[in-house]
Amino acid sequence: MRPGVLVVAKAPVEGQAKTRLGQGVGQRVAADLASAAFLDTLAACEEAFPRGRRVVAITGDLTRAERSVELARRLAEWDVFRQRGKDLGHRLANAHEDAARVLRAPVVQVGMDTPQVTARHLAAVVQRLGATECDAVLGPASDGGWWCLALNHPRWGRGLGAVPMSTSQTGVATRAMLTGAGARVGCAEQLNDVDTADDAAEVAMLAPDSRFAAAWRRVDDDLHSPADLFDEALAGAPCLVHGMPSGPVELPVDVWRGDCDASDRVLVGECSGPTLDVGCGPGRLTQGLTERGAVALGIDVAPGAVRQTRARGAEAICRDVFDPVPGEGRWESVLLADGNIGIGGDPVRLLRRVASLLSPVGRALVEVAPPGRGVVTHRLHLQIGDRRSSSFAWAVVGAEALEVLARQASLRTLWLVNERGRWFAQLSRTGNHRRTG
C-alpha cells in the first residue's frame, strides 16, 4: 500500500518551541517562525499525500500557539493524535506505531524544522522506500540529526527510545539502530534544520515564497547593525554575544574602555613608526601609542567607537579595513589586538589585507587565542535587551595555527610570545626583525 505521512510536531507556543532560536530573535518571534514552518510543512505534505493519508502527532497546547486559528483550520483535514512517551525518542517510536495503526501502511515521518521541504523531497522518499532493497529511509540533516525517517513497518523504529536525540551524532546513531535491527536503510537528500537565526536566514533564502521566509523577512527588517549595538555597549548598555560554542557571553567593553594594562604596554612597545590600529574600538591602544609619541591612526566600523577614541586625544576614522585606508603600503606597524584577527571570519584574507597595508619592512602585531584552539569561524550576533543585530562572521585563531595562516598570506612569523596569559605574535613581509623589548 502507498505510504502515508506523519508529522511529529510541538505546538508553537512562546517559550516552548524553538527556544534556541528564541535566544537570538526573542521567544515570541521564534514561536511565530515555528508556526510558519509547521504550516509550510503541512502544505508540502498535503501536496504529496491525499487526504486520509496524513496524520499529525502533537505535543503541547495548540490553543496557545502562535497562528492558532490558522493551524486549527489546516489541521481539520488531518488525523491528529497526542504524542506519548517519556522523552523524544520514545515519543517518536510510539508515533510510528500509532501512525501505522491509523494509516495501515508504511509511514514517512517528518518534523517541523525543515520548512523548505517540498512535495518533490517527499515523493523521492516514497520512491526510495518502495524500492525492494529498502526497509527504511533516513533523511540526514546538516547538523548531524535527521529530518525524515520513513519505515515500511513500525518495528524498525522501536529502538528510537535508546537513540540520543538532538546531538550531532543522532543521525549516525539512528542509522546504526536501524541496521542493528536488521533493516536495509536508504538515504534521502540532506536538508538543513532551523535551530538558529543563521539557519533561519539560510532556509528563508532556499524557500523565498514560503510562509517561513515571509516571517523571517519581518524579523530581518527589525535587525540592527552590529556596529550600532556595539556603540550602545560602549555607552554602557549590557550586551551579549551569541554564537560561540560556550554559549552567550557578555561583551567585555569595560576592558576596552579602560587604560592600557601591563600586557597592552608590551604589545604597544613592539610597534615602531607610523602604526595603524585595526578595529581600535574605544581606542585604549591607539591612545597608548599616541602617548608614546607614535604617529597612530585607529580605524573601526563603529562611529561611537571612533568618537571615544578621538575623545582620548588619539586619531581615528570610521573605516572598514577592507575599504581604502589612508597610507596603504606605508604603515610600519599594523596592530590586530583583542582577537581582531577574527574580523571578517577569514584570517588569511585579513592577513593578506594587512600585508598590503604594511611598508616593505613593516611589521604586523597580532593577538591570537591560546594554543589548542585551531582555526574556527563562528556566526555571531549581538543582543541588547530584546534587540538583536544581524549576524557576522568572526574567526578564532589559536597560537599554533598562526604560522600556517601567515605563510598563506605571504607573511613570516618572526616570534610568538605569551605575555601574562595573552599570546602575541610579530609578522613581517620581509627581513628578520627581532623583539625590541
Side-chain angles (χ1 to χ4, degrees):
M1 181 177 287
R2 182 172 174 80
V5 67
L6 161 67
V7 177
V8 176
K10 176 185 285 187
V13 177
E14 179 179 353
Q16 297 179 20
K18 289 296 164 195
T19 53
R20 184 178 169 198
L21 175 61
Q23 292 174 1
V25 301
Q27 297 298 340
R28 190 204 64 76
V29 172
D32 183 66
L33 287 164
S35 186
F38 192 5
L39 289 164
D40 284 330
T41 302
L42 295 175
C45 292
E46 289 167 4
E47 185 178 348
F49 298 88
R51 188 171 182 176
R53 313 299 302 157
R54 309 187 296 246
V55 296
V56 169
I58 193 76
T59 185
D61 185 356
L62 278 171
T63 65
R64 297 174 51 214
E66 299 295 319
R67 309 192 192 204
S68 59
V69 173
E70 187 176 0
L71 282 169
R73 185 169 58 246
R74 200 77 189 231
L75 289 172
E77 298 186 357
W78 288 65
D79 290 308
V80 180
F81 56 84
R82 305 296 301 181
Q83 294 177 25
R84 55 187 180 88
K86 62 182 180 179
D87 54 34
L88 178 56
H90 287 93
R91 292 199 302 271
L92 289 170
N94 291 334
H96 272 275
E97 293 274 2
D98 295 341
R101 189 176 304 114
V102 171
L103 297 169
R104 298 183 180 273
V107 173
V108 176
Q109 181 247 310
V110 296
M112 51 185 279
D113 297 334
T114 51
Q116 74 274 37
V117 71
T118 64
R120 178 187 64 80
H121 291 118
L122 297 169
V125 172
V126 169
Q127 182 178 15
R128 190 79 179 94
L129 187 63
T132 56
E133 73 275 10
C134 276
D135 300 306
V137 176
L138 193 65
S142 55
D143 62 0
W146 47 267
W147 66 271
C148 171
L149 175 61
L151 304 176
N152 64 15
H153 195 283
R155 67 175 176 271
W156 303 120
R158 289 171 185 163
L160 285 168
V163 174
M165 294 292 165
S166 303
T167 77
S168 61
Q169 296 300 307
T170 296
V172 172
T174 302
R175 176 175 286 273
M177 180 276 294
L178 293 167
T179 56
R184 299 163 297 177
V185 184
C187 188
E189 182 177 343
Q190 178 173 294
L191 296 181
N192 188 13
D193 278 350
V194 175
D195 292 316
T196 67
D198 292 326
D199 296 334
E202 180 177 340
V203 167
M205 286 190 294
L206 291 172
D209 297 327
S210 64
R211 295 171 183 81
F212 183 86
W216 178 252
R217 283 192 290 271
R218 290 193 293 272
V219 175
D220 205 35
D221 288 344
D222 291 336
L223 296 181
H224 301 264
S225 78
D228 288 345
L229 293 196
F230 182 63
D231 276 348
E232 290 188 36
L234 292 180
C239 182
L240 293 177
V241 183
H242 293 270
M244 299 298 288
S246 57
V249 296
E250 189 164 352
L251 202 65
V253 293
D254 287 343
V255 173
W256 301 332
R257 291 186 301 184
D259 296 325
C260 285
D261 62 17
S263 57
D264 289 331
R265 286 191 288 273
V266 169
L267 190 60
V268 166
E270 291 294 336
C271 296
S272 64
T275 299
L276 182 69
D277 183 6
V278 177
C280 64
R284 79 180 191 285
L285 297 176
T286 316
Q287 178 190 27
L289 289 161
T290 301
E291 290 176 344
R292 291 181 65 246
V295 174
L297 176 68
I299 61 172
D300 203 287
V301 296
V306 170
R307 288 192 295 271
Q308 289 195 28
T309 301
R310 291 172 177 172
R312 291 175 181 261
E315 291 295 324
I317 59 173
C318 193
R319 193 65 52 87
D320 187 315
V321 66
F322 295 107
D323 290 337
V325 172
E328 292 195 23
R330 300 195 300 273
W331 294 102
E332 289 189 30
S333 297
V334 172
L335 188 58
L336 285 172
D338 298 325
N340 280 338
I341 192 172
I343 290 172
D346 185 343
V348 173
R349 176 176 178 246
L350 178 59
L351 289 173
R352 285 174 178 156
R353 176 58 174 149
V354 166
S356 74
L357 296 171
L358 289 169
S359 72
V361 293
R363 298 174 293 176
L365 281 301
V366 179
E367 182 174 359
V368 290
R373 302 292 183 87
V375 182
V376 183
T377 297
H378 305 286
R379 295 295 304 184
L380 307 180
H381 70 268
L382 306 181
Q383 181 180 1
I384 294 178
D386 61 357
R387 292 178 299 124
R388 174 190 184 275
S389 78
S390 56
S391 64
F392 56 95
W394 193 270
V396 175
V397 176
E400 81 284 0
L402 181 62
E403 185 172 0
V404 171
L405 299 179
R407 283 202 302 267
Q408 293 176 20
S410 300
L411 291 169
R412 179 179 182 181
T413 304
L414 302 179
W415 50 256
L416 175 68
V417 65
N418 180 358
E419 291 285 351
R420 296 174 174 83
R422 297 171 68 187
W423 288 81
F424 303 141
Q426 185 187 78
L427 311 177
S428 179
R429 292 174 58 185
T430 59
N432 188 21
H433 298 285
R434 299 294 183 185
R435 291 192 66 197
T436 57

